Amino acid sequence: MSATPIRRSVEGATRSSSRPRLLFDPLLLLAAFGLVACSVIAIGGSTRNDIPGAPNFFAHRQLMYAVIGTLLMFAISRFDYSRLREFKIGIYGLMIALNILPLLLAAATRGARSWIELPFFRFQPSELGKVLLIVALAGFIVDRTRRLGERQTTARLMLLALGPAALVMVQPDLGSASVYVVTALVMLFIAGSPGRHIAGLIALFATALVLVLAVAPAVGVDVLKPYQVDRLTGFLNPNESNAESTYQLNQSKIAIGSGEKTGRGLERSTQTGLNFLPEHHTDFIFSVVGERWGFAGAALVLSLFALLIWRTLRLLTMAKNLFGTLIAAGILAMLMYQLLVNVGMTIGIMPITGVTLPLMSYGGASYLTTFIALGLLQSIHIQARIAQGSKGRGLVLS
């Protein structure tokens, strides 16, 4: 009597296993490609007058970065991310080496030595370093899960992030350095480090920030250059601060405010279209969206980011192992922090730190890095689905 249901279960399992399954996360792809489309359209409109005779120069290059990034994403997704744990030391060493290169090879651009000139685009090693840090730090944390309750363990793991962050800050790139630190804090929290350790680290960083911005200049010690201090503090009093340091902020607020509900359209977007707002296609791409498409366009972009973050958060909970959970947590922290800081600085509630908006701001290094991160997320999704399928077939046959 028991043979019939067992045979039916086996046959059902065979039929279900033979059916093609969608291993990719389709909603994650939808969010990513939706943001790419918004980015290319926004950049194309805002830069049409930037290069005489080549109105689509930046849009075409952004689209090329998107195509290359998509190929990278699909290639990485077919690789089992768990194997990367074996190479954590090499990955960490590569990240350190990449962040040293700009100090040796990069020419100063707007006071920063962050970009290395390559034949087809300017490579910013600190961008790729974000993903490399996430993967390497996830491996180091997994190896020390049984000792996460110890203060020395938390301190040592945090130092692994502070080292490359210091190298990036020297370039100087305060925005990317802050991404390194915030990402590491979130990963330690998700891994289970005691709350008092995390609170202590946050208090330490807050104290250091006060010392650098207020105490040190008061006693005649300039840790940061004056223009950097003005950019970090100008958003607090934009009307009373140095006019030059808050020019971008004020122009950004004018652009976003003038967009109103549905935007001013392509021809009437004067703030971003006529270069009143510098860096309109990079750091201030959200201002372009706000002026051209208004509240409706800004809501669409933020909704796509919400979808992207929700799917990343879901992958964090369904990963087949702790290593995958920590990688997803690091990518989640990276995306959310950059979104918060970039959008916040365009509307005047966050300091201007040069943090790009993922999948929206123009730039090859930023785009390719984000797509590499998406490839890791897709790998986590695929491996989780495969693991769930194996467990399901095992339960049916047992």
Side-chain angles (χ1 to χ4, degrees):
M1 295 178 63
S2 62
T4 301
I6 292 177
R7 185 173 60 254
R8 289 175 180 173
S9 299
V10 172
E11 292 173 353
T14 303
R15 285 194 300 268
S16 63
S17 62
S18 62
R19 295 171 184 168
R21 295 182 301 169
L22 182 62
L23 296 181
F24 284 100
D25 188 333
L27 293 180
L28 187 67
L29 291 177
L30 173 64
F33 291 150
L35 288 170
V36 168
C38 292
S39 172
V40 172
I41 295 172
I43 289 174
S46 63
T47 61
R48 67 189 189 281
N49 299 320
D50 287 8
I51 300 181
N56 297 317
F57 175 82
F58 291 102
H60 287 165
R61 289 180 73 90
Q62 188 79 333
L63 187 59
M64 178 186 69
Y65 297 146
V67 172
I68 297 173
T70 301
L71 295 176
L72 274 175
M73 177 184 67
F74 284 122
I76 293 172
S77 68
R78 306 306 299 178
F79 180 81
D80 186 355
Y81 69 91
S82 299
R83 298 179 59 185
L84 294 174
R85 182 183 168 190
E86 306 171 12
F87 308 104
K88 58 184 179 296
I89 296 177
I91 292 173
Y92 186 82
L94 175 62
M95 177 196 57
I96 295 294
L98 286 175
N99 284 325
I100 291 176
L101 280 180
L103 301 176
L104 303 175
L105 304 177
T109 303
R110 299 185 185 92
R113 299 168 61 90
S114 303
W115 298 272
I116 298 175
E117 295 291 340
L118 296 178
F120 298 102
F121 73 106
R122 292 193 307 170
F123 175 57
Q124 188 174 3
S126 60
E127 287 290 335
L128 180 58
K130 296 173 185 177
V131 175
L132 296 179
L133 175 64
I134 289 170
V135 175
L137 191 59
F140 289 124
I141 292 175
V142 170
D143 288 347
R144 293 164 175 78
T145 50
R146 295 184 179 181
R147 303 179 62 183
L148 282 177
E150 300 176 7
R151 184 173 56 187
Q152 295 84 351
T153 300
T154 302
R156 290 172 181 172
L157 290 172
M158 196 65 213
L159 284 174
L160 291 174
L162 292 178
L167 290 174
V168 173
M169 188 174 294
V170 171
Q171 295 178 11
D173 184 357
L174 302 181
S176 295
S178 65
V179 174
Y180 283 39
V181 173
V182 170
T183 299
L185 283 173
V186 172
M187 292 177 68
L188 286 173
F189 176 76
I190 296 297
S193 292
R196 64 183 183 276
H197 293 177
I198 304 298
L201 289 172
I202 294 174
L204 181 62
F205 294 141
T207 302
L209 188 63
V210 172
L211 290 174
V212 169
L213 295 179
V215 177
V219 298
V221 179
D222 293 328
V223 180
L224 300 177
K225 296 180 180 180
Y227 80 89
Q228 292 176 315
V229 176
D230 290 339
R231 290 181 65 182
L232 291 174
T233 60
F235 78 102
L236 297 174
N237 295 294
N239 296 324
E240 300 178 8
S241 302
N242 185 303
E244 184 178 352
S245 63
T246 58
Y247 174 80
Q248 286 182 307
L249 171 59
N250 291 328
Q251 292 297 320
S252 175
K253 292 168 69 175
I254 292 173
I256 294 175
S258 65
E260 298 183 345
K261 294 181 181 179
T262 56
R264 306 184 66 184
L266 179 60
E267 298 301 328
R268 296 176 58 209
S269 298
T270 56
Q271 298 300 120
T272 55
L274 299 180
N275 292 332
F276 286 105
L277 176 64
E279 310 301 333
H280 47 267
H281 61 304
T282 54
D283 295 350
F284 287 86
I285 189 65
F286 190 76
S287 305
V288 176
V289 173
E291 183 180 29
R292 184 173 175 183
W293 295 310
F295 175 80
L300 172 63
V301 170
L302 293 178
S303 297
L304 290 171
F305 272 113
L307 178 60
L308 183 67
I309 290 169
W310 169 53
R311 300 309 292 180
T312 306
L313 185 61
R314 182 175 181 272
L315 291 175
L316 186 152
T317 62
M318 67 180 291
K320 69 176 183 179
N321 51 33
L322 179 60
F323 184 62
T325 296
L326 292 176
I327 290 177
I331 295 173
L332 176 67
M334 179 184 73
L335 295 174
M336 289 189 65
Y337 179 75
Q338 292 188 197
L339 173 64
L340 173 65
V341 173
N342 184 276
V343 174
M345 75 182 188
T346 62
I347 60 177
I349 62 173
M350 295 291 285
I352 298 176
T353 56
V355 173
T356 58
L357 189 59
L359 295 178
M360 286 293 296
S361 296
Y362 174 81
S366 174
Y367 237 54
L368 297 182
T369 296
T370 305
F371 270 107
I372 289 173
L374 294 177
L376 289 172
L377 292 178
Q378 291 288 6
S379 176
I380 293 171
H381 185 272
I382 291 172
Q383 295 302 318
R385 292 289 300 272
I386 292 175
Q388 291 172 359
S390 300
K391 290 179 181 178
R393 288 193 296 271
L395 290 173
V396 171
L397 295 172
S398 59

